[in-house]
């Protein structure tokens, strides 16, 4: 394999890792920001929506949950609030991206000012020395020779500074596009004039390889993204979650939230998982670029391999070492192994990268479905976006999928051409299940089996018993007179005995939806026994059936769809029979 092919494969591996980091950061940041915005917006706007809809959220939890999901005025108010929250989430995500770019540009300047690093040679003096103008300065001439060995382009020639407080024989590189700086530790400088001169050359050539490969830009961008994620996304999200939990518990209240967007352990666990995901992706790219710089310093700039061998033998093994996938820098033994058997070239994805990709993909789907449930985004818009982004997601999946055998540069190009040709066919199958998931309320098979079992149990239990006990007959009579009888009569008119044709079903949707909304505004049935259970069952089953049958995309001829609707309607009809006055 030629040097050009090797560098192309290495660049491809770096591109994959950077793409993974940006994808994971955007997915994790958007999900956490969305969780925080929705939780805050739910806590502040939901009481006003409920008041405008004359919906009392202080009753039983099941009734409050039904109201949040199926009350027409409350759902409309919730959708308006969710769209506002979505715009705020997108704006905050864009702000995080802008903040990361600004921090990326400011970090190198802050680094030099913070440490007050004295300048050894400016980039202009290095450029002049490379052209042969070093004069009598032996150290400048030595650095110029190393720059020539590293084959740096003229627009990437760095300046050199010294860190007088660092006594180790090392160096670091920082800066941004067009303004790179190599910082030599004061402990490294004496090695240039001793027998350990090869160590000085190896360290400087390693840092110059970082400059040539633009690792400085990648590293500082990764660091900037990570720090902004921690300070502008993770900490505010956890602070809001903790403040709401403590407030509710301190005041002893049970606040209602939109569709599971209540603060608690779920949000904290999600934040921990996504943070770990971002950290692993960041560590992967930083560790990979260190190995690439080692390899380039030896094979392309002529550094002495024995330097890495000595460091590997003399390095003390720590008592407690993090797993490799959590470390930002490889160990000296790993560096030596990379030089002896280069693995930094593109050999396909790793198992860790594939796992990160899957988690990020699931996170994105989870976020989109959450917004769909709140009616913040039209389902058709999501389907169109899925057809556009589906091929990109699948192509990324192919890129990070682990392979046993390495491919050459030509084979990689052929594979990409084949993949982009086939990805559109595969995306059609990938998008359709996604669209169905966006619409589905729950797993129809499990729900149908559970509801059928409950129907049989309730029919056996109430077959001969009255729905209202004698002890609450007076209160029940008052409930019927105050609107209960009228609402039950409307349910009797609009609940079908069997699945109707599409034209009849369309005509029933609006009437049944309005009946459910009016029923949710009634007081809870004044019987905690059979009557109360029947009232809960009637509202729950009728609301779920109406939502399934009347939603966009319902297919009456699909057996799964018809089964879900028919089971719920039958369950509601059974409960209604227990409540209708005889």
């Amino acid at each position: 394999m030629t040097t050009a092919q090797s560098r192309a494969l290495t660049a491809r591996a770096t591109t994959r890792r950077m793409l993974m980091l940006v994808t994971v950061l955007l997915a994790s940041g958007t999900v956490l920001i969305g969780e925080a915005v929705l939780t805050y917006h739910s806590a502040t706007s939901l009481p006003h929506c409920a008041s405008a809809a004359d919906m009392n959220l202080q009753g039983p939890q099941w009734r409050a949950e039904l109201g949040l999901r199926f009350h027409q005025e409350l759902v409309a108010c919730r959708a308006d609030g969710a769209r506002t929250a979505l715009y705020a989430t997108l704006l905050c995500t864009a702000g995080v991206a802008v903040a990361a770019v600004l921090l990326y540009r400011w970090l190198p300047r802050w680094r030099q000012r913070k440490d007050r690093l004295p300048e050894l040679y400016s980039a202009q003096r290095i450029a002049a020395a490379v052209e042969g103008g070093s004069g009598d300065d032996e150290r400048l001439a030595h650095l110029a020779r190393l720059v020539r060995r590293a084959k740096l382009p003229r627009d990437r020639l760095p300046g050199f500074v010294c860190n007088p407080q660092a006594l180790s024989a090392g160096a670091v590189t920082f800066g941004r596009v067009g303004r790179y700086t190599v910082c030599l530790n004061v402990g490294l400088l004496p090695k240039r004039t001793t027998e350990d001169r090869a160590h000085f050359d190896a360290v400087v050539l390693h840092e110059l390889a970082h400059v040539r490969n633009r690792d400085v830009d990648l590293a500082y961008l990764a660091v900037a993204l990570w720090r902004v994620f921690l300070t502008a996304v993770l900490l505010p999200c956890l602070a809001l979650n903790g403040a709401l939990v403590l407030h509710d518990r301190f005041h002893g209240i049970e606040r209602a939230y939109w569709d599971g967007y209540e603060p608690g352990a779920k949000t904290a666990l999600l934040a921990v998982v996504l943070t770990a995901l971002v950290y692993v992706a960041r560590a992967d790219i930083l560790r990979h670029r260190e190995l690439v710089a080692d390899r380039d310093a030896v094979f392309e700039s002529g550094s002495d391999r024995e330097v890495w061998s000595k460091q590997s033998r003399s390095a003390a093994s720590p008592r407690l070492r993090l797993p490799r996938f959590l470390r930002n820098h490889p160990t000296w033994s790993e560096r030596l192994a990379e030089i002896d058997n280069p693995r930094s070239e593109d050999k396909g994805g790793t198992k860790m990268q594939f796992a990160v990709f899957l988690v990020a993909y699931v996170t994105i789907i989870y976020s989109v479905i959450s917004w769909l449930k709140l009616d913040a985004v039209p389902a058709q818009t999501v389907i169109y976006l899925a057809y556009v982004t589906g091929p990109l997601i699948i192509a990324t999946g192919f890129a990070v999928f682990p392979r046993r055998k390495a491919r050459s540069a030509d084979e990689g190009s052929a594979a990409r051409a084949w993949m982009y040709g086939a990805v559109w066919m595969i995306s059609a199958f990938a998008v359709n299940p996604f669209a169905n998931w966006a619409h589905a309320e729950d797993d129809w098979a499990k729900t149908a089996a559970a509801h059928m079992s409950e129907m049989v149990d309730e029919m056996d239990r109430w077959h001969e018993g009255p729905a209202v006990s004698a002890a609450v007959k007076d209160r029940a009579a008052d409930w019927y007179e105050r609107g209960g009888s009228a609402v039950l009569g409307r349910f009797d008119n609009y609940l079908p005995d069997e699945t109707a044709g599409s034209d009849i079903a369309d005509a029933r949707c609006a009437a049944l939806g309005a009946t459910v909304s009016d029923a949710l505004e009634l007081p809870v049935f004044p019987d905690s026994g059979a009557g109360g259970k029947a009232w809960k069952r009637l509202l729950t089953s009728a609301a779920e059936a109406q939502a399934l049958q009347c939603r966009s995309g319902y297919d009456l001829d699909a057996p799964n769809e018809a089964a879900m609707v028919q089971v719920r309607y039958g369950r509601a009809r059974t409960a209604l029979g227990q409540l209708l006055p005889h």
Side-chain angles (χ1 to χ4, degrees), residues 303-535:
S303 295
D304 188 357
R305 172 197 174 279
E306 189 61 24
V307 174
W308 279 264
S309 180
K310 288 182 180 179
Q311 291 293 329
S312 179
R313 291 194 301 267
S314 61
S317 179
R319 295 182 179 179
L320 182 62
R321 179 185 296 174
L322 290 174
R324 183 174 183 271
F325 68 93
L326 294 178
R327 286 186 270 112
N328 296 329
H329 283 74
T331 63
W332 283 106
S333 59
E334 291 171 347
R335 290 173 178 242
L336 182 61
E338 170 66 22
I339 294 173
D340 293 338
N341 183 22
R343 295 176 297 173
S344 56
E345 295 177 355
D346 180 39
K347 295 181 174 65
T350 63
K351 294 180 180 179
M352 186 273 296
Q353 289 175 352
F354 190 67
V356 169
F357 163 77
L358 289 179
V359 176
Y361 183 44
V362 171
T363 301
I364 294 173
I365 294 178
Y366 164 80
S367 179
V368 173
I369 292 178
S370 298
W371 289 107
L372 279 173
K373 286 184 176 180
L374 296 174
D375 297 325
V377 183
Q380 198 64 33
T381 301
V382 175
I383 294 175
Y384 290 150
L385 289 175
Y387 274 108
V388 173
T389 60
L392 177 61
I393 294 175
I394 296 174
T396 306
F398 272 109
V400 300
F401 191 81
R403 296 195 304 266
R404 294 183 178 179
K405 181 181 178 181
R407 294 177 181 171
S408 66
D410 295 336
E411 290 173 338
S413 300
R416 285 201 305 273
W418 174 86
M419 179 179 61
Y420 291 143
V423 77
W424 285 99
M425 290 191 301
I426 302 175
S427 65
F429 296 97
V431 170
N432 286 333
F434 176 81
N436 291 335
W437 294 339
H439 287 303
E441 291 289 331
D442 48 18
D443 183 10
W444 76 268
K446 294 181 180 179
T447 303
H451 286 182
M452 188 67 70
S453 176
E454 291 181 6
M455 283 177 56
V456 174
D457 293 341
E458 293 300 329
M459 291 176 66
D460 293 340
R461 187 184 309 162
W462 294 351
H463 188 266
E464 297 179 357
V468 181
S469 64
V472 295
K473 184 178 295 186
D474 293 338
R475 285 180 294 168
D478 184 66
W479 182 86
Y480 279 107
E481 291 177 359
R482 290 177 177 271
S485 180
V487 169
L488 293 177
R490 291 166 63 185
F491 273 121
D492 192 26
N493 290 331
Y494 302 132
L495 280 177
D497 295 322
E498 59 183 11
T499 304
S502 58
D503 53 342
I504 302 176
D506 292 339
R508 185 186 298 116
C509 279
L512 188 56
T515 303
V516 171
S517 296
D518 292 342
L520 289 170
E521 297 175 7
L522 289 175
V524 179
F525 192 84
D527 177 18
S528 59
K533 293 178 180 178
W535 179 243

Side-chain angles (χ1 to χ4, degrees), residues 37 97 141 177 209 251 380 562:
V37 171
V177 177
H251 292 281
Q380 198 64 33

Side-chain angles (χ1 to χ4, degrees), residues 77 93 126 207 224 229 263 282 287 360 382 385 395 454 546 550 552:
C77 184
T93 304
I126 294 295
E207 299 303 325
F229 174 80
R282 168 181 170 270
R287 188 175 59 253
V382 175
L385 289 175
E454 291 181 6
Q546 190 270 345
C550 301
S552 175

Side-chain angles (χ1 to χ4, degrees), residues 23-270:
T23 301
V24 169
L25 271 165
L26 288 178
S28 302
T30 303
V31 170
L32 288 180
I33 292 174
E35 286 277 334
V37 171
L38 281 174
T39 300
Y40 176 77
H41 201 278
S42 176
T44 55
S45 67
L46 186 53
H48 301 289
C49 292
S51 177
D54 294 328
M55 177 68 190
N56 182 14
L57 298 177
Q58 301 303 319
Q61 185 178 2
W62 65 265
R63 188 169 176 272
E65 292 177 353
L66 280 179
L68 295 176
R69 293 177 61 192
F70 300 114
H71 193 291
Q72 291 180 338
E73 294 183 17
L74 198 58
V75 168
C77 184
R78 182 191 68 179
D80 292 339
R83 279 189 286 272
T84 302
L86 176 60
Y87 298 146
T89 299
L90 296 177
L91 183 62
C92 290
T93 304
V96 167
V98 172
V101 173
L102 294 177
L103 183 61
Y104 155 75
R105 295 181 62 86
W106 180 75
L107 271 176
R109 187 179 304 175
W110 173 82
R111 171 69 184 274
Q112 189 159 1
R113 288 183 178 179
K114 176 181 73 73
D115 296 334
R116 298 181 180 180
L117 304 175
E119 184 179 64
L120 297 177
Y121 304 104
S122 65
Q124 291 75 16
R125 290 197 63 187
I126 294 295
V130 170
E131 298 295 332
S134 59
D136 297 332
D137 193 333
E138 183 183 354
R139 185 174 60 185
L140 175 61
H142 187 185
L143 292 175
R145 288 194 298 270
L146 295 178
V147 169
R148 284 194 293 268
R149 287 172 59 183
K151 303 175 183 177
L152 291 183
R154 187 173 182 82
D155 60 342
R156 275 183 241 172
L157 296 180
F160 286 83
V161 298
C162 176
N163 187 351
Q165 299 178 354
L167 302 180
S168 63
V172 294
T173 304
F174 55 89
R176 53 185 174 86
V177 177
R179 298 181 64 179
Y180 300 112
T181 301
V182 177
C183 177
L184 306 179
N185 295 347
V186 69
L188 177 67
L189 296 178
K191 291 184 176 293
R192 191 186 67 83
T193 57
T194 64
E195 296 180 356
D196 206 6
R197 186 168 183 169
H199 183 96
F200 178 89
D201 292 353
V203 171
V204 174
L205 289 173
H206 172 91
E207 299 303 325
L208 294 178
H210 280 313
V211 175
R212 185 183 65 178
N213 297 334
R214 295 192 182 276
D215 293 341
V216 183
D217 305 319
L218 294 176
Y220 270 91
L221 182 58
V223 170
L225 289 169
W226 170 251
R227 292 184 179 180
V228 170
F229 174 80
L230 290 180
T231 57
V233 178
L234 180 64
L235 293 181
C237 178
L238 292 179
L240 176 63
N241 182 69
L244 289 176
V245 170
L246 292 176
H247 177 272
D248 292 351
R249 291 188 177 181
F250 180 77
H251 292 281
I253 61 176
E254 294 185 3
R255 200 197 320 251
Y257 293 88
W258 287 336
D259 290 349
Y261 282 98
E262 67 278 355
K266 178 182 72 70
T267 302
L269 180 62
L270 179 65

